[in-house]
Each structure stands twice: as C-alpha cells, then as structure tokens.
Amino acid sequence: MNKHAASPSPTRWSTSAAGMLVALATAFALSQAFRTVGAMMATPLTQHFGLTPQALGTWAGTFHFTFGIMQLAMGVSIDHFGVRRTVLTAFPLAIAGAALCTVAPGFGALLLGQALIGVGCAPAFLACTVFIARHFEASRFTAMSGLVMSLAGLGIVFTGTPLALLIEAASWRAGYAVLTAFAVLSWIVIFWRVHEPARTPAALAPDAPAPERQSLRQAVRDLLPLFAMPHTLGLLCFACVSYAAFITLRGLWLGPVLHYRHGLSLVASGNVALVMTVAGMASPMLFGRLDPGGARRTRWMMRCAFAGAAMFAAMALTQSRAIDIGLPIVYGLLSGYSVLLYAYTKNAYPAAVTGRAMALLNMAMFLGVSLMQWTTGVAASWAVAHGTEPFRAVFLTVSGMLAAGTLAFLLLPRAKVPVRPTP
C-alpha cells in the first residue's frame, strides 16, 4: 500500500504535463503570429514609412534570419538549463522587440524589433517538441504534437481577418501593441504554470548514465559530418525553398498583392488570408495520414513542389483576381507536403544523428524563408525601377527558387529510404 502510494498517479501527472505543454504552446502561437504578421502589416507600414519593396522584404526576413541562426544555441540552452529557464529567459526579447515595433519612429527601429522578436521566439517550437519527448510516452508523441500545432495555428489565424479589423479600426501600431500584450500574458502563464517534472521517461532506468551535455562548439562540430553525406546538399536545397514559399506568400506578399493589384480592402485581404490559413492548418494532417513512405514519398514531395512553382508562375503571369484569390487557398491545401520532409529526414540519417539532422533541417528551412523574403523584396524593387509590375517579379522569383531547389533535390543524390512508410 505504501509502495503504491509513493508512485504518482499517471493520470494526474499526465494531465499536469499536458497543462504545461499548453502553456508552452502559447509562446509557439505567438511565434506563428509574429511570423505571418507581414501580410496585413505590409501595406500600412509601406504607407507610413515609405518603404521600398526591398526594405519590406528585409523587414520580414529579419525575423526568420535571427530565428534560424539561434536554433542550435537554443537547443544547447534547453539541454543545459531546461525548457522553462530557456523560454523564460529568451521570450522577454520578443516582448521587447514587439514593444519597440509598437513605438518605432523609423525603419531602423522596426528592423531591430524584428531581430529581437526572432531571437525571443527561437526556442518556442523546439521547447514544445523537447517537452513532449521528455515528459510523455513515445506512443503519445504524435497526438501531443498535433495538439501543439493546432494551438499554434491560432496565432496565424489572428494575423488574418482579426488583425486586419484591428488595423482598420485603430492602426498597425495597435496590432503590435496587442501582440505585445499577448506575449506578456504568455510569459506570465509559462512562469506560473510550467515546472518541469523531475521524473521523466528517461529517468525510469535509475542505473542509466545521464546524457552528456553539449557545448555550442560541440553541437556545431557534430553537424559537420552531416555535410559529408552525399544526400545532405539536395535535402538542404529543398528545405530552403519548400516552407519558404508558403510563408513568403502568406506572411508577406498576399495582403499587398490583393490590395495594390486588385483593390481589395485590408479586411477583405484578411479574409483570404484566413481561409488560406485554415487550409494550411489542415494540410499537414492530411499529408501525414496519406504519407506513402519510401521512394513514393520523395516523388510526392517533388510533384507538389513543382505544382506550387507552377501556381506562383500563374499568379505572376495572369494578374487575374480569381487566380490571385483562389490559388493561395489551393496552395494552402498543398503546402502540407513539407511535413513529409521531416519523415524523409528521419529515415535519411542513422538514428544516432537524427537530432542533429532535424536541427540542420530547421535551420535550413527558416534561413530559407529569410533568403526568399529578402530576394523577393529585391526583385520587386528592381521591377519598380524598370517599370515592371512588382508582384510579377515577386511571384516569378518564388516560382524560380522553388523550382530550382526542387530540381536540385531531383538531380543530386538522395537518401536510400525504406519502401514501407514510417508509422
């Protein structure tokens, strides 16, 4: 009886851990909101500060650049100091960055604010993933990950119609002010609610040696052998463009193209962004269930990416309102193919280096977003200077980069993957 009483109730412990995970997911949701805020902010920021398209691309890409380069450091911090301390230490930078953007007197302050937000949000998704791995049974990993992704999707939903309504009712500064307030509330909830359980699944074997903690230098050094594997280059080329195409459209250019090319109001543009977001939230679950595995998985990935490149080319060349409203929604449904890249990566490397491979994949994906957003801004500015419609240049650039990255994946060596799908 005493022995039984000494063991914590699995149900109560699991419920407590689930509550902590939901608290952590609030920071992830804010990260998603900050990532996609540009679609509704781009037009008012351009009007207020007189930004060129290149400056707009730089502004949007700054978040993803600092977010991407900090992934490895945040992983090491979580390893050394834990999920709670890492998030509570980093996230105030996002709060400070959002507050700075709220009162920004000029473009330089906006850029600094974006950089701070990127660093502050860098551990948000990783913290949720590590927390699930440490404090839930392996059989529940997929279910809990799905819960986190669903909750985080609320952040993207906010940057559609709700943010558009807020900006029209007040100003873009009000949008940043509300996001700042939400970020403060998220930090408070995490501080109050998240206390990592001392007993984890890994601790169930008391005689097992504690895992060795890496320094940042060691973590960087451990990534180097991955580059010696012949299939890494093609994987990185594909990773740099697959997710970037979706975020570059949804998070930056969707609002401006609907407003300036077709005269839609900010709220109407927000409605389109909202529908695209809902489609994008459903897509990963759909592709996850339909994943064929093996060589068919890579063919699905490439076909979807080439189809996406064709859609962007159509948006560039037709300038049709129906196409510019309909194809983003269709692409939202298609965008979940990038989730297959995680399954491909898991099978492409030995189990001993899977974590490093995933870290490298995440870095490539977010640095790719930064590169594509900056490049499309340069292309739009070049088009304006040469008397060409800027959105044609933007979408042709996205189409070309998406096609080039996919072609590299097709032509370069690919990993030998199992025929049977990964469960």
Side-chain angles (χ1 to χ4, degrees):
M1 176 119 179
N2 292 338
K3 191 173 183 181
H4 181 270
S7 300
S9 167
T11 301
R12 291 184 61 191
W13 178 86
S14 179
T15 302
S16 175
M20 296 183 214
L21 180 60
V22 170
L24 289 171
T26 62
F28 184 27
L30 266 297
S31 174
Q32 295 284 67
F34 285 122
R35 180 174 300 137
T36 54
V37 74
M40 295 301 107
M41 290 283 195
T43 299
L45 286 178
T46 298
Q47 294 170 347
H48 185 90
F49 292 110
L51 302 183
T52 65
Q54 182 175 348
L56 198 60
T58 301
W59 166 76
T62 298
F63 169 94
H64 295 95
F65 179 76
T66 55
F67 185 100
I69 62 174
M70 291 301 296
Q71 287 301 295
L72 196 59
M74 292 301 174
V76 172
S77 177
I78 288 173
D79 179 45
H80 277 269
F81 304 113
V83 166
R84 171 186 159 87
R85 291 177 65 185
T86 298
V87 174
L88 290 179
T89 301
F91 206 57
L93 293 176
I95 297 171
L100 178 58
C101 287
T102 303
V103 299
F107 182 60
L110 275 178
L111 281 185
L112 178 58
Q114 282 285 88
L116 290 173
I117 294 170
V119 175
C121 290
F125 175 62
L126 185 60
C128 293
T129 303
V130 171
F131 189 89
I132 294 170
R134 287 180 179 176
H135 304 301
F136 290 89
E137 297 83 357
S139 61
R140 301 186 65 191
F141 185 87
T142 302
M144 301 313 295
S145 296
L147 171 65
V148 167
M149 293 300 293
S150 297
L151 290 173
L154 296 176
I156 308 180
V157 169
F158 174 78
T159 60
T161 306
L163 181 59
L165 288 169
L166 179 60
I167 292 173
E168 283 209 341
S171 70
W172 63 268
R173 294 187 188 275
Y176 267 121
V178 169
L179 287 172
T180 303
F182 282 155
V184 171
L185 287 175
S186 174
W187 189 93
I188 292 172
V189 168
I190 293 170
F191 178 82
W192 166 64
R193 189 69 184 85
V194 177
H195 299 278
E196 296 178 77
R199 186 175 179 81
T200 68
L204 295 178
D207 297 330
E212 182 181 353
R213 291 179 172 179
Q214 290 183 312
S215 66
L216 181 58
R217 178 180 297 181
Q218 179 66 40
V220 172
R221 187 163 62 244
D222 285 349
L223 287 178
L224 297 180
L226 300 182
F227 291 96
M229 299 181 181
H231 56 269
T232 296
L233 180 58
L235 170 65
L236 293 180
C237 290
F238 190 77
C240 280
V241 298
S242 56
Y243 181 62
F246 174 80
I247 290 297
T248 297
L249 176 60
R250 171 59 183 86
L252 178 57
W253 296 112
L254 182 61
V257 74
L258 294 177
H259 178 74
Y260 289 112
R261 182 185 270 185
H262 302 296
L264 269 67
S265 69
L266 196 62
V267 173
S269 301
N271 292 337
V272 177
L274 180 62
V275 177
M276 182 184 179
T277 298
V278 173
M281 290 170 64
S283 184
M285 293 183 288
L286 178 64
F287 275 93
R289 291 182 64 87
L290 298 178
D291 179 12
R296 290 183 62 198
R297 176 191 292 139
T298 58
R299 289 196 294 269
W300 278 31
M301 289 159 53
M302 289 185 285
R303 287 170 183 169
C304 289
F306 280 130
M311 290 183 193
F312 279 104
M315 293 174 67
L317 300 176
T318 61
Q319 300 188 34
S320 161
R321 174 182 288 200
I323 286 178
D324 287 348
I325 291 176
L327 284 188
I329 296 171
V330 174
Y331 189 67
L333 284 171
L334 187 71
S335 64
Y337 75 87
S338 62
V339 77
L340 301 179
L341 192 54
Y342 284 95
Y344 171 85
T345 303
K346 180 181 177 183
N347 289 330
Y349 295 91
V353 298
T354 297
R356 284 170 257 170
M358 290 295 184
L360 186 62
L361 174 65
N362 281 334
M363 290 177 65
M365 291 178 78
F366 287 105
L367 291 177
V369 174
S370 178
L371 175 63
M372 186 176 286
Q373 290 184 333
W374 177 81
T375 303
T376 53
V378 172
S381 288
W382 180 90
V384 170
H386 290 79
T388 303
E389 207 255 356
F391 302 112
R392 172 172 292 184
V394 165
F395 293 137
L396 283 177
T397 300
V398 175
S399 177
M401 293 180 72
L402 187 53
T406 308
L407 190 62
F409 185 63
L410 172 66
L411 299 178
L412 290 170
R414 294 194 298 276
K416 294 181 181 179
V417 293
V419 176
R420 298 178 63 184
T422 300

